[in-house]
Coordinates of all heavy atoms in Angstrom, one line a residue:
M1 N 126.9 171.5 106.5 CA 125.9 172.5 106.4 C 126.2 173.3 105.1 O 127.3 173.6 104.8 CB 126.0 173.4 107.6 CG 124.8 174.3 107.7 SD 124.8 175.4 109.2 CE 124.8 174.2 110.5
S2 N 125.1 173.6 104.4 CA 125.2 174.4 103.2 C 125.4 175.9 103.5 O 125.1 176.3 104.6 CB 124.0 174.2 102.3 OG 123.8 172.9 101.9
T3 N 125.9 176.6 102.5 CA 126.1 178.0 102.7 C 125.2 178.8 101.7 O 125.0 178.3 100.6 CB 127.6 178.4 102.4 OG1 128.4 177.7 103.3 CG2 127.8 179.9 102.5
M4 N 124.7 179.9 102.2 CA 123.9 180.7 101.3 C 124.3 182.2 101.6 O 124.4 182.6 102.7 CB 122.4 180.5 101.7 CG 121.5 181.5 100.9 SD 119.7 181.3 101.4 CE 119.3 179.8 100.6
N5 N 124.5 182.9 100.5 CA 124.8 184.3 100.7 C 123.6 185.2 100.3 O 122.9 184.9 99.3 CB 126.0 184.7 99.8 CG 127.3 184.0 100.2 OD1 127.6 184.0 101.3 ND2 128.0 183.5 99.2
I6 N 123.3 186.2 101.1 CA 122.2 187.1 100.8 C 122.7 188.5 100.8 O 123.6 188.9 101.4 CB 121.0 186.9 101.8 CG1 121.5 187.2 103.2 CG2 120.4 185.5 101.8 CD1 120.4 187.3 104.2
S7 N 122.0 189.3 100.0 CA 122.3 190.7 99.9 C 121.2 191.5 100.7 O 120.0 191.2 100.5 CB 122.3 191.2 98.5 OG 123.3 190.5 97.7
L8 N 121.6 192.4 101.5 CA 120.7 193.2 102.3 C 121.0 194.7 102.1 O 122.2 195.1 102.0 CB 120.8 192.9 103.8 CG 120.5 191.5 104.2 CD1 120.8 191.4 105.7 CD2 119.0 191.2 104.0
P9 N 120.0 195.5 102.1 CA 120.3 197.0 102.1 C 120.9 197.3 103.5 O 120.8 196.5 104.5 CB 118.9 197.6 102.1 CG 117.9 196.6 101.8 CD 118.6 195.2 102.0
E10 N 121.7 198.3 103.5 CA 122.4 198.7 104.7 C 121.5 198.8 106.0 O 121.9 198.4 107.1 CB 123.2 200.0 104.5 CG 124.2 200.3 105.6 CD 125.3 199.3 105.8 OE1 125.7 198.7 104.8 OE2 125.6 199.0 106.9
T11 N 120.3 199.3 105.8 CA 119.4 199.4 107.0 C 119.0 198.1 107.6 O 119.0 197.9 108.8 CB 118.1 200.2 106.6 OG1 117.5 199.5 105.5 CG2 118.4 201.6 106.2
L12 N 118.8 197.0 106.7 CA 118.5 195.7 107.2 C 119.7 195.1 107.8 O 119.7 194.3 108.8 CB 117.9 194.8 106.1 CG 116.5 195.2 105.6 CD1 116.1 194.2 104.5 CD2 115.6 195.1 106.8
K13 N 120.9 195.3 107.2 CA 122.1 194.7 107.8 C 122.4 195.3 109.2 O 122.7 194.6 110.1 CB 123.3 195.0 106.9 CG 124.6 194.4 107.5 CD 125.8 194.8 106.7 CE 127.1 194.2 107.2 NZ 127.3 194.4 108.7
T14 N 122.2 196.6 109.3 CA 122.3 197.2 110.6 C 121.3 196.6 111.6 O 121.7 196.4 112.8 CB 122.1 198.7 110.5 OG1 123.1 199.3 109.6 CG2 122.2 199.4 111.9
F15 N 120.1 196.4 111.2 CA 119.1 195.8 112.1 C 119.5 194.4 112.5 O 119.4 194.1 113.7 CB 117.7 195.7 111.3 CG 116.7 195.1 112.2 CD1 116.0 195.8 113.2 CD2 116.3 193.8 111.9 CE1 115.0 195.1 113.9 CE2 115.4 193.1 112.7 CZ 114.7 193.8 113.7
V16 N 120.0 193.6 111.6 CA 120.4 192.2 111.9 C 121.6 192.3 112.9 O 121.6 191.6 113.9 CB 120.8 191.5 110.6 CG1 121.5 190.1 111.0 CG2 119.5 191.2 109.8
D17 N 122.5 193.1 112.6 CA 123.7 193.3 113.5 C 123.3 193.7 114.9 O 123.8 193.2 115.9 CB 124.7 194.3 112.9 CG 125.4 193.8 111.7 OD1 125.4 192.6 111.4 OD2 126.0 194.6 110.9
T18 N 122.3 194.6 115.0 CA 121.8 195.0 116.3 C 121.1 193.9 117.0 O 121.4 193.6 118.2 CB 120.9 196.2 116.1 OG1 121.5 197.3 115.5 CG2 120.3 196.7 117.5
Q19 N 120.3 193.1 116.3 CA 119.6 192.0 116.9 C 120.6 190.9 117.4 O 120.5 190.4 118.5 CB 118.7 191.3 115.9 CG 117.5 192.2 115.5 CD 116.7 192.7 116.7 OE1 116.2 192.0 117.5 NE2 116.7 194.0 116.8
V20 N 121.7 190.7 116.6 CA 122.7 189.7 117.0 C 123.3 190.1 118.3 O 123.5 189.3 119.2 CB 123.7 189.5 115.9 CG1 124.9 188.7 116.3 CG2 123.1 188.8 114.7
S21 N 123.7 191.4 118.4 CA 124.5 191.8 119.6 C 123.5 191.9 120.8 O 123.9 191.6 121.9 CB 125.2 193.1 119.3 OG 124.3 194.2 119.1
Q22 N 122.3 192.4 120.6 CA 121.4 192.6 121.7 C 120.7 191.4 122.2 O 120.3 191.3 123.4 CB 120.3 193.7 121.4 CG 120.9 195.1 121.3 CD 119.8 196.1 121.0 OE1 118.7 195.7 120.7 NE2 120.2 197.3 121.0
R23 N 120.6 190.4 121.4 CA 119.8 189.2 121.7 C 120.6 187.9 122.0 O 120.1 186.9 122.1 CB 118.7 188.9 120.7 CG 117.7 190.1 120.7 CD 116.7 190.0 119.5 NE 115.8 188.9 119.8 CZ 114.9 188.5 118.9 NH1 114.8 189.1 117.7 NH2 114.1 187.5 119.1
G24 N 122.0 188.1 122.0 CA 122.8 187.0 122.3 C 123.2 186.0 121.3 O 123.6 184.9 121.6
Y25 N 122.9 186.3 120.0 CA 123.3 185.4 119.0 C 124.8 185.5 118.7 O 125.4 186.6 118.8 CB 122.6 185.7 117.7 CG 121.1 185.4 117.8 CD1 120.2 186.5 118.0 CD2 120.6 184.1 117.6 CE1 118.8 186.2 118.1 CE2 119.2 183.9 117.7 CZ 118.3 184.9 118.0 OH 117.0 184.7 118.1
G26 N 125.4 184.4 118.4 CA 126.9 184.5 118.1 C 127.2 185.1 116.7 O 128.2 185.8 116.5
T27 N 126.3 184.8 115.8 CA 126.5 185.3 114.4 C 125.2 185.7 113.8 O 124.1 185.3 114.3 CB 127.2 184.2 113.5 OG1 126.2 183.1 113.4 CG2 128.5 183.7 114.1
S28 N 125.3 186.4 112.7 CA 124.0 186.7 111.9 C 123.4 185.5 111.4 O 122.2 185.4 111.2 CB 124.3 187.7 110.8 OG 125.3 187.3 109.9
S29 N 124.2 184.4 111.1 CA 123.7 183.2 110.6 C 122.8 182.5 111.6 O 121.7 182.0 111.3 CB 124.8 182.2 110.2 OG 125.4 182.7 109.0
E30 N 123.2 182.6 112.9 CA 122.3 182.0 114.0 C 121.0 182.7 114.0 O 120.0 182.1 114.2 CB 123.1 182.1 115.3 CG 124.2 181.2 115.5 CD 124.9 181.4 116.8 OE1 124.4 182.0 117.7 OE2 126.0 180.8 117.0
Y31 N 121.0 184.0 113.9 CA 119.8 184.8 113.9 C 118.9 184.5 112.8 O 117.7 184.2 113.0 CB 120.2 186.3 113.9 CG 119.0 187.2 113.9 CD1 118.1 187.4 114.9 CD2 118.8 188.0 112.7 CE1 117.0 188.2 114.8 CE2 117.7 188.9 112.7 CZ 116.8 189.0 113.7 OH 115.7 189.8 113.7
V32 N 119.4 184.4 111.6 CA 118.6 184.1 110.4 C 118.1 182.6 110.5 O 116.9 182.4 110.2 CB 119.4 184.3 109.1 CG1 118.7 183.7 107.9 CG2 119.8 185.7 108.9
R33 N 118.9 181.7 111.0 CA 118.4 180.3 111.2 C 117.2 180.3 112.2 O 116.2 179.6 111.9 CB 119.5 179.4 111.7 CG 120.4 178.9 110.6 CD 121.3 177.8 111.1 NE 122.2 178.2 112.1 CZ 123.5 178.7 111.9 NH1 123.9 178.9 110.6 NH2 124.2 179.0 112.9
E34 N 117.3 181.1 113.2 CA 116.2 181.1 114.2 C 114.9 181.7 113.6 O 113.8 181.2 113.8 CB 116.6 182.0 115.4 CG 115.6 182.1 116.5 CD 115.3 180.8 117.2 OE1 116.1 179.8 117.1 OE2 114.2 180.7 117.9
L35 N 115.1 182.8 112.8 CA 113.9 183.3 112.1 C 113.3 182.3 111.2 O 112.0 182.2 111.1 CB 114.4 184.6 111.3 CG 114.8 185.8 112.1 CD1 115.2 186.9 111.1 CD2 113.6 186.3 112.9
I36 N 114.1 181.6 110.4 CA 113.6 180.5 109.5 C 112.8 179.4 110.3 O 111.7 179.0 109.9 CB 114.7 180.0 108.6 CG1 115.2 181.1 107.7 CG2 114.2 178.8 107.9 CD1 116.5 180.7 107.0
R37 N 113.4 179.0 111.4 CA 112.8 178.0 112.2 C 111.4 178.5 112.7 O 110.4 177.7 112.7 CB 113.6 177.6 113.4 CG 114.8 176.7 113.0 CD 115.5 176.2 114.3 NE 116.9 175.7 113.9 CZ 118.0 176.4 114.1 NH1 118.0 177.6 114.7 NH2 119.1 175.9 113.7
K38 N 111.4 179.7 113.2 CA 110.1 180.2 113.7 C 109.1 180.4 112.6 O 107.9 180.1 112.8 CB 110.4 181.6 114.3 CG 111.0 181.5 115.7 CD 111.2 182.9 116.3 CE 111.9 182.8 117.7 NZ 112.1 184.1 118.3
D39 N 109.5 180.7 111.4 CA 108.6 180.8 110.3 C 108.1 179.4 109.9 O 106.9 179.2 109.6 CB 109.3 181.4 109.1 CG 108.3 181.9 108.0 OD1 107.2 182.5 108.4 OD2 108.6 181.8 106.8
Q40 N 108.9 178.4 109.9 CA 108.5 177.0 109.7 C 107.5 176.6 110.7 O 106.4 176.0 110.4 CB 109.7 176.1 109.7 CG 110.6 176.1 108.6 CD 111.8 175.2 108.7 OE1 112.4 175.1 109.8 NE2 112.2 174.6 107.6
D41 N 107.7 176.9 112.0 CA 106.8 176.6 113.1 C 105.4 177.3 112.8 O 104.3 176.7 113.0 CB 107.3 177.0 114.4 CG 108.5 176.1 114.9 OD1 108.7 175.0 114.3 OD2 109.1 176.5 115.8
R42 N 105.5 178.5 112.4 CA 104.3 179.3 112.2 C 103.5 178.7 111.0 O 102.2 178.5 111.1 CB 104.6 180.8 111.9 CG 103.4 181.7 111.6 CD 103.9 183.0 111.1 NE 104.6 183.0 109.9 CZ 103.9 182.8 108.7 NH1 102.6 182.8 108.6 NH2 104.7 182.8 107.5
L43 N 104.1 178.3 110.0 CA 103.4 177.7 108.8 C 102.8 176.3 109.2 O 101.7 176.0 108.8 CB 104.4 177.5 107.7 CG 104.8 178.8 107.0 CD1 105.9 178.5 105.9 CD2 103.7 179.5 106.3
Q44 N 103.5 175.5 110.0 CA 103.0 174.2 110.5 C 101.7 174.5 111.3 O 100.7 173.7 111.2 CB 104.0 173.4 111.2 CG 105.1 172.9 110.3 CD 106.2 172.2 111.1 OE1 106.2 172.2 112.4 NE2 107.2 171.7 110.4
L45 N 101.8 175.4 112.2 CA 100.7 175.7 113.1 C 99.5 176.2 112.2 O 98.3 175.8 112.4 CB 101.0 176.8 114.1 CG 99.9 177.2 115.0 CD1 99.3 176.1 115.8 CD2 100.4 178.3 115.9
R46 N 99.7 177.0 111.2 CA 98.7 177.5 110.4 C 98.0 176.4 109.6 O 96.8 176.3 109.6 CB 99.3 178.5 109.4 CG 98.2 179.2 108.5 CD 98.9 180.2 107.5 NE 98.1 181.1 106.9 CZ 97.1 180.9 106.1 NH1 96.7 179.7 105.8 NH2 96.4 181.9 105.5
E47 N 98.8 175.4 109.1 CA 98.2 174.3 108.4 C 97.4 173.4 109.4 O 96.3 173.0 109.0 CB 99.4 173.4 107.9 CG 100.1 173.9 106.7 CD 101.3 173.1 106.3 OE1 101.4 171.9 106.7 OE2 102.1 173.5 105.5
K48 N 97.8 173.3 110.6 CA 97.0 172.5 111.6 C 95.7 173.2 111.9 O 94.7 172.6 112.1 CB 97.9 172.2 112.8 CG 99.0 171.2 112.5 CD 99.8 170.9 113.7 CE 100.9 169.9 113.4 NZ 101.8 169.6 114.5
L49 N 95.8 174.5 112.1 CA 94.6 175.3 112.4 C 93.6 175.2 111.3 O 92.4 175.1 111.5 CB 95.0 176.7 112.8 CG 95.7 177.0 114.1 CD1 96.2 178.4 114.2 CD2 94.8 176.6 115.3
L50 N 94.1 175.4 110.1 CA 93.2 175.3 108.9 C 92.6 173.9 108.8 O 91.4 173.8 108.5 CB 93.9 175.7 107.6 CG 94.3 177.2 107.5 CD1 95.1 177.4 106.3 CD2 93.0 178.0 107.5
A51 N 93.4 172.9 109.0 CA 92.9 171.5 109.0 C 91.8 171.3 110.1 O 90.7 170.7 109.8 CB 94.0 170.5 109.1
G52 N 92.1 171.8 111.2 CA 91.1 171.7 112.3 C 89.8 172.5 112.0 O 88.7 172.0 112.3
A53 N 90.0 173.6 111.5 CA 88.8 174.5 111.1 C 87.9 173.8 110.1 O 86.7 174.0 110.0 CB 89.2 175.9 110.7
G54 N 88.6 173.0 109.2 CA 87.8 172.4 108.1 C 87.3 171.0 108.5 O 86.6 170.4 107.7
S55 N 87.6 170.5 109.7 CA 87.1 169.2 110.1 C 85.7 169.3 110.6 O 85.2 170.3 111.0 CB 88.1 168.6 111.1 OG 88.1 169.3 112.3
A56 N 85.1 168.1 110.7 CA 83.8 168.0 111.2 C 83.8 168.3 112.7 O 84.7 168.0 113.4 CB 83.2 166.6 111.0
P57 N 82.7 169.0 113.2 CA 82.6 169.3 114.6 C 82.6 168.0 115.5 O 82.1 167.0 115.0 CB 81.3 170.1 114.8 CG 80.9 170.4 113.4 CD 81.6 169.5 112.5
T58 N 83.1 168.1 116.7 CA 83.0 166.9 117.6 C 82.2 167.4 118.8 O 81.4 168.3 118.7 CB 84.4 166.5 118.0 OG1 85.1 167.6 118.7 CG2 85.2 166.0 116.8
M59 N 82.5 166.8 119.9 CA 81.7 167.2 121.1 C 82.0 168.6 121.6 O 83.1 169.1 121.3 CB 82.0 166.2 122.3 CG 83.4 166.2 122.8 SD 83.5 165.0 124.1 CE 85.0 165.6 124.9
P60 N 81.1 169.2 122.3 CA 81.4 170.6 122.7 C 82.5 170.7 123.7 O 82.7 169.8 124.5 CB 80.1 171.0 123.4 CG 79.1 169.9 123.3 CD 79.8 168.8 122.6
V61 N 83.3 171.8 123.6 CA 84.4 172.0 124.5 C 83.9 173.0 125.6 O 83.7 174.2 125.3 CB 85.6 172.5 123.8 CG1 86.7 172.8 124.8 CG2 86.1 171.5 122.8
D62 N 83.6 172.5 126.8 CA 83.0 173.4 127.8 C 83.9 173.1 129.1 O 84.9 172.5 129.1 CB 81.5 173.1 128.0 CG 81.3 171.6 128.3 OD1 82.2 170.8 128.5 OD2 80.1 171.2 128.3
A63 N 83.4 173.7 130.2 CA 84.1 173.5 131.4 C 84.3 172.1 131.8 O 85.3 171.7 132.3 CB 83.4 174.3 132.5
A64 N 83.3 171.3 131.6 CA 83.3 169.8 132.0 C 84.4 169.1 131.2 O 85.1 168.3 131.7 CB 82.0 169.2 131.7
Y65 N 84.6 169.5 129.9 CA 85.6 168.9 129.0 C 87.0 169.2 129.6 O 87.8 168.3 129.8 CB 85.5 169.5 127.6 CG 86.7 169.2 126.8 CD1 86.8 167.9 126.1 CD2 87.8 170.0 126.6 CE1 87.8 167.6 125.3 CE2 88.8 169.7 125.8 CZ 88.9 168.5 125.2 OH 90.0 168.2 124.4
F66 N 87.2 170.5 130.1 CA 88.5 170.8 130.6 C 88.7 170.2 132.0 O 89.9 169.8 132.3 CB 88.7 172.3 130.7 CG 88.9 172.9 129.3 CD1 88.0 173.7 128.7 CD2 90.2 172.8 128.7 CE1 88.2 174.2 127.4 CE2 90.4 173.3 127.4 CZ 89.4 174.0 126.8
D67 N 87.7 170.0 132.7 CA 87.8 169.3 134.0 C 88.2 167.8 133.8 O 89.1 167.3 134.5 CB 86.4 169.3 134.8 CG 86.1 170.7 135.3 OD1 87.0 171.5 135.4 OD2 84.9 170.9 135.6
R68 N 87.6 167.1 132.8 CA 88.0 165.8 132.5 C 89.5 165.7 132.0 O 90.2 164.8 132.4 CB 87.1 165.2 131.4 CG 85.7 164.9 131.9 CD 84.9 164.1 130.9 NE 84.8 164.7 129.6 CZ 83.8 165.6 129.3 NH1 82.9 166.0 130.2 NH2 83.8 166.1 128.1
L69 N 89.9 166.7 131.2 CA 91.2 166.8 130.7 C 92.2 166.9 131.9 O 93.3 166.2 131.9 CB 91.4 167.9 129.7 CG 92.6 167.9 128.8 CD1 92.7 166.6 128.0 CD2 92.5 169.1 127.9
R70 N 91.9 167.8 132.8 CA 92.8 168.0 133.9 C 92.9 166.7 134.8 O 94.0 166.4 135.3 CB 92.3 169.2 134.8 CG 92.5 170.5 134.2 CD 92.1 171.6 135.2 NE 92.0 172.9 134.5 CZ 90.9 173.4 134.0 NH1 89.8 172.7 134.1 NH2 90.9 174.5 133.4
E71 N 91.8 166.0 134.9 CA 91.8 164.8 135.7 C 92.7 163.7 135.0 O 93.4 163.0 135.7 CB 90.3 164.3 135.8 CG 90.2 163.2 136.9 CD 90.6 163.7 138.3 OE1 90.3 164.9 138.6 OE2 91.2 162.9 139.0
Q72 N 92.6 163.7 133.7 CA 93.5 162.7 133.0 C 95.0 163.0 133.2 O 95.8 162.1 133.3 CB 93.2 162.7 131.5 CG 91.9 162.1 131.1 CD 91.6 162.2 129.6 OE1 92.4 162.8 128.9 NE2 90.5 161.7 129.2
V73 N 95.3 164.3 133.3 CA 96.7 164.7 133.4 C 97.2 164.3 134.8 O 98.3 163.9 135.0 CB 96.9 166.2 133.2 CG1 98.3 166.7 133.6 CG2 96.6 166.5 131.7
R74 N 96.3 164.4 135.8 CA 96.7 164.1 137.2 C 96.9 162.6 137.3 O 97.6 162.0 137.7 CB 95.6 164.5 138.2 CG 95.5 166.0 138.3 CD 94.5 166.5 139.3 NE 94.2 167.9 139.1 CZ 93.0 168.4 139.1 NH1 91.9 167.6 139.4 NH2 92.8 169.6 138.9

C-alpha cells in the first residue's frame, strides 16, 4: 500500500480524530479511505444517472412494470 501525507488545519484534524473515535475506525487512514471509497461510489452513480438521463426513452415504468419485476424475482 502506498503512503500519502496530508496537511490539515487543526480544526479539521480535530474533526477527523473525533470521527475516528466515535465511529469505530482504527486509524485516521481508515476513515479517509472510507471517505474516498464513498466519493468514488458517488461519482460512479452520477455517471450512470447522467448516462441514463441521456439515453432514449423505453417503455413506461408504471405499477404493472413493478408487478412484473416482482414476479421475476419470486
Side-chain angles (χ1 to χ4, degrees):
M1 191 175 304
S2 298
T3 300
M4 176 185 284
N5 295 315
I6 59 170
S7 298
L8 297 174
E10 190 59 37
T11 55
L12 288 180
K13 182 186 179 310
T14 301
F15 177 80
V16 169
D17 291 342
T18 301
Q19 296 304 303
V20 168
S21 65
Q22 289 182 351
R23 296 173 68 186
Y25 294 98
T27 64
S28 56
S29 291
E30 287 179 13
Y31 175 67
V32 171
R33 280 192 295 271
E34 180 69 16
L35 291 177
I36 293 169
R37 284 187 199 102
K38 286 182 179 181
D39 197 40
Q40 286 176 323
D41 290 346
R42 182 189 60 81
L43 290 172
Q44 288 174 358
L45 177 59
R46 186 180 196 298
E47 287 176 13
K48 289 178 181 183
L49 289 171
L50 289 173
S55 66
T58 60
M59 66 182 201
V61 177
D62 55 11
Y65 170 83
F66 286 106
D67 289 341
R68 288 190 304 274
L69 196 57
R70 284 186 196 94
E71 195 58 39
Q72 287 178 0
V73 171
R74 290 182 197 138

